[in-house]
Amino acid sequence: MNKKYVYAFTEGDGRDKRLLGGKGANLCEMTQIGLNVPPGFVITTEACLEYLEKKTIPDGILDEVRDHIGRLEEKTGKRFGGEDNPLLVSVRSGSAMSMPGMMDTILNLGLNRKTLRGLIRQTANERFGYDAFRRFIQLFGKIALGVSDALFDEAFEDVKRAAGVKADIALSAEHLKEISERFLKIVQDATGRPFPEDTFEQLEIAIKAVFGSWMGKRAVDYRREFHITPDMANGTAVNVVTMVFGNMGNDCATGVGFTRNPATGENEMFGEYLVNAQGEDVVAGIRTPKPVHEMKQEMPELYSQLVDLRDKLEGHYREVQDYEYTIEKSVLYCLQTRNGKMNATAMVRTSVEMYDEGLIGKAQALLRVNPSHLEQLLHPCLDPSHMEKPIAQGLPASPGAASGRCVFDADQAEIQGRAGEKVILVREETKPEDIHGFFAAQGVLTSRGGKTSHAAVVARGMGKACVAGAEGIRVDSRARLARVGEVTLREGDVITIDGSTGNVYLGEIPTIAPKFSDELKTLLSWADEAARLKVLANADTPESAAVAMEHGAMGIGLCRTERMFNASERLPLVVEMILAHDTEERQAALDKLLPIQREDFKQLLKIVAPRPVTIRLLDPPMHEFLPSENQLLDEIESLKEYRLAVKGRSTALSALNAPYAANDLSEDLVNSVIAKKEQMLRKVRELHEVNPMLGHRGVRLGITYPEIYEMQIRAILEATAQCLKEGVPVNPEIMVPQVITAQELKHVKASVDKIRREIETEFGLELAFKFGSMVETVRACTRAQDLARIAEFFSFGTNDLTQATFSFSREDAENKFLPLYTEYGILQDNPFEVLDIKGVGALMQMTVEWGRKTNPQLEVGICGEQGGHPTSIRFCHSIGLDYVSCSPHRVPIARLAAAHAQLLENR
Amino acid sequence: MNKKYVYAFTEGDGRDKRLLGGKGANLCEMTQIGLNVPPGFVITTEACLEYLEKKTIPDGILDEVRDHIGRLEEKTGKRFGGEDNPLLVSVRSGSAMSMPGMMDTILNLGLNRKTLRGLIRQTANERFGYDAFRRFIQLFGKIALGVSDALFDEAFEDVKRAAGVKADIALSAEHLKEISERFLKIVQDATGRPFPEDTFEQLEIAIKAVFGSWMGKRAVDYRREFHITPDMANGTAVNVVTMVFGNMGNDCATGVGFTRNPATGENEMFGEYLVNAQGEDVVAGIRTPKPVHEMKQEMPELYSQLVDLRDKLEGHYREVQDYEYTIEKSVLYCLQTRNGKMNATAMVRTSVEMYDEGLIGKAQALLRVNPSHLEQLLHPCLDPSHMEKPIAQGLPASPGAASGRCVFDADQAEIQGRAGEKVILVREETKPEDIHGFFAAQGVLTSRGGKTSHAAVVARGMGKACVAGAEGIRVDSRARLARVGEVTLREGDVITIDGSTGNVYLGEIPTIAPKFSDELKTLLSWADEAARLKVLANADTPESAAVAMEHGAMGIGLCRTERMFNASERLPLVVEMILAHDTEERQAALDKLLPIQREDFKQLLKIVAPRPVTIRLLDPPMHEFLPSENQLLDEIESLKEYRLAVKGRSTALSALNAPYAANDLSEDLVNSVIAKKEQMLRKVRELHEVNPMLGHRGVRLGITYPEIYEMQIRAILEATAQCLKEGVPVNPEIMVPQVITAQELKHVKASVDKIRREIETEFGLELAFKFGSMVETVRACTRAQDLARIAEFFSFGTNDLTQATFSFSREDAENKFLPLYTEYGILQDNPFEVLDIKGVGALMQMTVEWGRKTNPQLEVGICGEQGGHPTSIRFCHSIGLDYVSCSPHRVPIARLAAAHAQLLENR
């Protein structure tokens, strides 16, 4: 068999990365689409494998190489080893998988004392010549001959020191010549042989070094680390490319460019260049490159060649390209091109414009934008040019950046917020009664709690920045200050928090505001056309529902009614309900809550109409609405001290027989407050639970205190009836949380049916709404067939379901062992952020299958936090879910991810 | 089609309960096996259905009835409606399903003024005659004619009042005659017709009444309540039986008997009889019946007939029978027989003896004993004759009864226990540091906590009685007393607790000690032969392991190493380990624990050898070994007060310039104790978890603090090596708790392999042991295929798995909503007591299937508490588990249940 081991760039198949390596295939492709690539050839990966097996390069291969060098000489008019017009080449490795930094490139191969003279003569630049020579000796010595790099560096520094020179650039041609000589000696001493003068010998040694590097320790480790198996990449190719020089005179230049502006996406020439310079000069930063549009004046002919190049690149790759070029004696060479990295704004704009230009289709326009990158467009972010160091770090609990004055309680936040101040609420942790502080603040910073702490969840719901669990900060609310190491933050001090990274900074750092551009709207409308999965939002308030609608949500997939309970004017009523001694007292409190809840629902339903609003009946355990035991104990103690003081004063006054024997401080009032607090304390203790996550909550509350669910059901259905009367076509869905058996659903359904009949009679109309179940306990999964007989829809609550599947309490896990679990690779991801497909996902898939067995019309969605995560969305699509519901600010991301899921399935 | 509607007892098929009803079929069977049953016949359920459809009894049926009455006359020589020797009959209903108390029996049908005279003449007892008559009129009036019972009762009381008589028995024949007359008038007034004199008319009316009762409200409600569907029972039969009288003279008698002694199981005549009496006389308690062996003297001929009867009954039914008989004029009639209800002792003994006698096979001997009933034989129980009322009730947390003096802390329990007192430890709740109190006490009573509270779990493990969560009791440990309503229990007061019912009594109530008889041993050895499932025990101490072995455990399926940590002399070392500031300090504490744990394991392994001991690595979160936050705060406060007092005193003393300026109370010492407690408090706060059940525990500890697991693994393997050196063939198995992914197992397995190699080298031997995984998280179930590649065995921890599946925290659920859930029928059983087959069971089945796919040799067992429950055991058998492991005291129950599972499968 006469195998071919060497391909000229004009021959190789640009798609055969396995044979030619990624870089080699790319050079072939570039050449064949008509770009002026410096001529060269690729020695295949098969040659590498044969070398590794036989420990020598078969003669046939070397013959082919010689043949191709001959072709290069022919094409360039230069000669390999020739003095007059010497051919120099670069030699580099390149396997099918990119393994960055594995092996340096050998430049200027083909230089020796003889060809060096030719080079100097050609460029009339002795310094350039010796500089090229000393670089070649060092690279070749190190890479191909294995000489220690340190020896070269020492000699180099020696000469610099002796010359009294600081910067390399200050070295003269003489110095560089001396360095070259010393380098040659280093090689001879280290290898016991003189530096090879024969250029073919140089080439053969270099090729062997590249081949051998494939089994070197660094490469083997790298492949193991990144799980690169032989079927993905086997052996490395060798790329031999003619050297071109941008520094041979003023008709030479070097530059880099993007086919479009990577910051804005604008369709314009973009890039920089330097006349009479090498690429490394740009990197060294000694000369400032010029913007590309200046070339139009300076080198108009070349500029128009560059415009051609750009058109060819986009026309062929149909993607924005990041390219490098060199102009040698007025000839433009394209050295490299790859897909351009851009920010989200640019990605979105180029997608829409490239579609409009007919360059790409809608599918490609959607697929080239990474959904997660849209995050950048939806929250303010820190100006990336800032140089501040954070003073503390916590968990990135709710994305976005915000600056403001520190305040240490919610009331202060409200007062200052109303006064127009920007404030950051800083607390050890937050509680439901702090909710008005959230509304007033720019962002929230806590020193305790994880990504599902109250602060985190509420902030995400509102789309406000939040850094949680910044344990380095010690908050002292009473003293109205916080300490971070040496720094003390006092009320009024300005800080900046970055909820996307968890960083906390002193002072104000400029932020960049989010943009919801027309291009983004266009792109997302295409996403909606492409996707099968619907995207709904989790929203509890009219405000967040409005944001969700703006962001294109197709309805509300989860409205948590307890958030409504937490609003500061309602909490007292809720507490009254909880403290009730009997059903009658409880009913009285509920009667007061009913009109408020009804009004909540009316507002929400109208904003979202005619799209659906899924309302979850009360879920959290009752004690969550009460202060903590410790807080109450503190309060009672303070009150008792106060009472003692009052008593002491009045005793003192009466001893004085003072006529003004003060009743300005009423002991009775204090007593009654103490009594109230003590009652609350008893209740808190009665309601105490060992594991509240697994406690008396959800439908269990609905069954033990049916009057609570009845009030909520009535509020929902009365709101619906009133809206319908007003002609607004609202669509509520009632959802029951924490279900474990169909019996519970039957129980609640009976209330729903009874109340529905009453309201239909009262209003003289028919109510249409859906009744469904959360699936957030494992038992609900195993009983899906039964539940689906009663429920019209399922909604996976993957936060709780993940906790139950792993037996991980999220708050405890994220603070204690989860970081180590991901560090050790025991878990790939935090399952509370990325849906655990192997465990939770397996249960979900089973649930969907079993549920649809008894109810083929069953609608299934997900309303856990993972519902907004692209890989989770792709999984949800794959198991046949109907919708995902996520926080309003993630809706655009989810819409795009839903489209990706469908498009990738079609492939 | 000429359908037959009436069957004589000599004709009917004893197996056809559907046609003849249960009672009718039974009477036919008894007759046909040669028992002298009073002659009679059954009118079929089909006749009933036809009557209900046509609202009238078809003539054909009535003709058949007449024919059968004729046959009765022939057989008895009596005449229906005849004066000389009148035939009287009883009429009763009887459907295929027993519906107790649905309808009374009509006795003495066939009486009228004329036949009454004959009866009186025959018996020469006018009082007897009128008594029979008035009873007949009332029963017939009420049942067949629908006359209000109250009318009869009023008239009866009138006559008694007028006669100045208190007891019915004091009424004379004249009084009863008057009553009969008034009853006849009541019937006439109520129905508008005279009481039917015609006996056939009486019979027809009675039959219609029985038929009609099938669709009466009472019967319909009953069938709905107990889910009796038409395919189970449709229509009622009518049983017409000749009346026989045991009160016609001294050659008459009535009696009841068991074929064997139902209290002891002894194979002897057992029962009581009364000469010249009716069955109801025994019930009325006016005359004391004689033990049956007296009949041997009094009526030798009849006694030998009775012995024959007994032999026939057992020979036919092959089960102990509970039978009733009447002797009329020296003729023995058997009226009824059914399987005898016996206590557990008797059931076990009769099983073994009936097998020895060849009456039954081993399978039947096993199956007739209900495994749960063995409970009676394994714990002391209250003398059932006691009449005390409980003063409080809690949860039946650990079975058995115990009396003793109240003590309110573990130290007192130990002191008094050592002094030979019987004590009951009474606490609000118990903690690990109370463990020495458990050893010393007879039983434990707590006012808080559920069936998995510390008290309950530890008591069950030790086989001590425990009543937990008796919320009516308010314990004040400081004051050393407890209040229950009006009662105050002080230290030293004697109480009795019944851990099988949850009752608490004042004073001592006699108990019956448990017996582990030879018969039980024999029966259980048969069970082991029959069963496929092995039965292991959960045991943590040498003592409980010894009990387990005595009870026939085939190994230890769960040894919880944390129990060993809790022993009072070790707890300080454990605390030292927890408070360690770094790995080095922790290692130092662990080094002290190592020899202790090794000794523990050696003892345990030797006791159980050569059977396996499955040792679970540390499971509970660390904070469980520390005091609670509140306790520490209290202690610190007390210490600070004490310090203040000390200071005050020394200041006072120095002010007095006293020469003895006391250093008897060292402030430094107090300070150092305070510092230690404060350190502990910080640690407690640091370790605090929101949901400890789902927290930092099990293998998560093993991964974050690898040195703890390494110490335990080393202790196990060193103990093994030492035992092997001593020639004891021990068999440890190492089990990892709370696993969610195979990665965790790999992590621990690496430690095991490393330590194994070290010890094998050191001891110069090969260690053989198994390595396995608890399956107690849902994710472990979903990843069974993966886990089984590393684990040699799985052990279901169904306590935790149930909590995770339901998202129920057991402690919270049992105290808060679970009682209502079972009351409402939302759940059939408490899933923590009876394995939830539909949810948890579904996961288990999946796990076994998936696990054996990758590892067909995988051994699978269960070590949750449900592992000792018979229905759970049957399920475990059905899904192919290899073993169940339960508390030592439930081992016998489990062995029998395992046999049942196999035998019932074979059927």
Side-chain angles (χ1 to χ4, degrees), chain A residues 694 744 779 805 809 821 836, chain B residues 694 744 779 805 809 821 836:
Chain A
L694 308 176
E744 292 167 323
R779 201 170 186 281
T805 304
S809 163
Y821 262 55
D836 164 53
Chain B
L694 307 176
E744 292 168 324
R779 200 169 188 282
T805 305
S809 162
Y821 262 55
D836 164 52

Side-chain angles (χ1 to χ4, degrees), chain A residues 76-224:
Chain A
T76 60
K78 304 184 177 194
R79 275 192 54 84
F80 196 50
E83 185 173 337
D84 281 351
N85 189 10
L87 172 67
L88 305 185
V89 296
S90 65
V91 176
R92 71 188 78 192
S93 66
S95 78
M97 298 290 294
S98 166
M99 292 163 65
M102 270 302 91
M103 191 170 163
D104 290 336
T105 301
I106 303 176
L107 297 172
N108 304 333
L109 189 138
L111 273 183
N112 54 23
R113 289 178 195 277
K114 190 172 81 178
T115 56
L116 173 61
R117 282 195 298 275
L119 186 66
I120 290 172
R121 203 177 315 133
Q122 265 190 316
T123 58
N125 188 339
E126 194 176 19
R127 190 184 182 285
F128 163 71
Y130 280 106
D131 197 34
F133 194 35
R134 65 101 184 168
R135 283 178 201 268
F136 168 56
I137 303 164
Q138 178 166 4
L139 282 167
F140 188 87
K142 179 179 89 169
I143 300 167
L145 301 173
V147 179
S148 163
D149 218 22
L151 297 172
F152 297 111
D153 290 343
E154 273 164 33
F156 192 83
E157 291 303 317
D158 265 5
V159 173
K160 260 170 86 179
R161 215 175 2 258
V165 152
K166 286 252 158 81
D168 296 2
I169 194 73
L171 291 169
S172 68
E174 268 315 302
H175 294 134
L176 291 168
K177 187 173 176 186
E178 186 190 343
I179 289 170
S180 301
E181 291 302 331
R182 290 178 70 152
F183 279 13
L184 288 172
K185 183 150 191 315
I186 286 170
V187 171
Q188 174 148 20
D189 291 350
T191 61
R193 298 180 50 201
F195 189 88
E197 283 282 316
D198 181 277
T199 54
F200 272 109
E201 191 188 345
Q202 289 176 357
L203 185 58
E204 188 181 337
I205 293 172
I207 292 169
K208 282 182 183 169
V210 172
F211 283 162
S213 75
W214 181 253
M215 291 313 291
K217 185 174 179 331
R218 239 167 112 190
V220 170
D221 286 353
Y222 187 96
R223 291 200 295 274
R224 192 176 42 227

Side-chain angles (χ1 to χ4, degrees), chain A residues 688-694 700 703 740 744 779 782 805-809 812 816-817 821 826 836 839, chain B residues 688-694 700 703 740 744 778-779 782 805-809 812 816 821 826 836 839:
Chain A
H688 170 78
E689 292 185 312
V690 183
N691 296 290
M693 156 75 203
L694 308 176
R700 300 158 209 163
I703 281 167
I740 58 147
E744 292 167 323
R779 201 170 186 281
T782 63
T805 304
F806 281 79
S807 288
F808 283 2
S809 163
D812 301 319
K816 297 206 158 102
F817 54 86
Y821 262 55
I826 293 174
D836 164 53
Chain B
H688 170 77
E689 292 185 313
V690 183
N691 296 290
M693 157 76 206
L694 307 176
R700 300 159 210 164
I703 281 167
I740 57 146
E744 292 168 324
V778 176
R779 200 169 188 282
T782 63
T805 305
F806 282 79
S807 287
F808 284 1
S809 162
D812 301 319
K816 296 207 160 100
Y821 262 55
I826 292 174
D836 164 52

Side-chain angles (χ1 to χ4, degrees), chain A residues 448 629-630 633 685-697 699-701 703-706 738 740-741 743-744 747 776-780 782-783 786 800 803-813 816-817 820-821 824-827 836-840 842-843 846 850, chain B residues 448 629-630 633 685-697 699-701 703-706 738 740-741 743-744 747 776-780 782-783 786 800 803-813 816-817 820-821 824-827 836-840 842-843 846 850:
Chain A
R448 283 176 64 172
E629 181 173 357
N630 283 338
L633 282 171
R685 286 179 171 157
E686 185 190 316
L687 292 177
H688 170 78
E689 292 185 312
V690 183
N691 296 290
M693 156 75 203
L694 308 176
H696 192 181
R697 53 180 296 213
V699 68
R700 300 158 209 163
L701 279 179
I703 281 167
T704 46
Y705 303 108
Q738 299 294 338
I740 58 147
T741 160
Q743 296 301 321
E744 292 167 323
H747 220 83
E776 54 188 335
T777 70
V778 175
R779 201 170 186 281
T782 63
R783 305 302 300 147
D786 246 35
D800 280 8
Q803 299 198 69
T805 304
F806 281 79
S807 288
F808 283 2
S809 163
R810 180 168 182 179
E811 280 165 286
D812 301 319
K816 297 206 158 102
F817 54 86
L820 214 60
Y821 262 55
Y824 286 179
I826 293 174
L827 289 174
D836 164 53
I837 289 173
K838 289 181 175 176
V840 179
L843 291 172
M846 188 181 89
W850 292 1
Chain B
R448 283 176 64 172
E629 180 173 358
N630 282 338
L633 283 170
R685 285 179 172 157
E686 183 190 319
L687 293 177
H688 170 77
E689 292 185 313
V690 183
N691 296 290
M693 157 76 206
L694 307 176
H696 192 182
R697 52 179 298 211
V699 68
R700 300 159 210 164
L701 279 179
I703 281 167
T704 46
Y705 303 108
Q738 300 293 338
I740 57 146
T741 160
Q743 296 302 322
E744 292 168 324
H747 220 83
E776 55 188 334
T777 69
V778 176
R779 200 169 188 282
T782 63
R783 304 304 300 147
D786 246 35
D800 281 8
Q803 299 197 69
T805 305
F806 282 79
S807 287
F808 284 1
S809 162
R810 179 167 183 179
E811 280 164 287
D812 301 319
K816 296 207 160 100
F817 54 86
L820 214 61
Y821 262 55
Y824 286 178
I826 292 174
L827 289 173
D836 164 52
I837 289 172
K838 290 181 176 176
V840 178
L843 291 173
M846 188 181 89
W850 291 2

Side-chain angles (χ1 to χ4, degrees), chain B residues 396-437:
Chain B
S398 175
S403 301
R405 297 184 181 282
C406 293
V407 291
F408 294 96
D409 65 52
D411 294 339
Q412 260 314 305
E414 199 172 37
I415 292 165
Q416 297 206 20
R418 284 203 182 138
E421 282 287 0
K422 289 185 166 183
V423 297
I424 304 289
L425 179 60
V426 183
R427 301 281 292 165
E428 196 166 24
E429 54 192 342
T430 62
K431 292 277 279 176
E433 62 259 31
D434 296 328
I435 198 91
H436 55 298

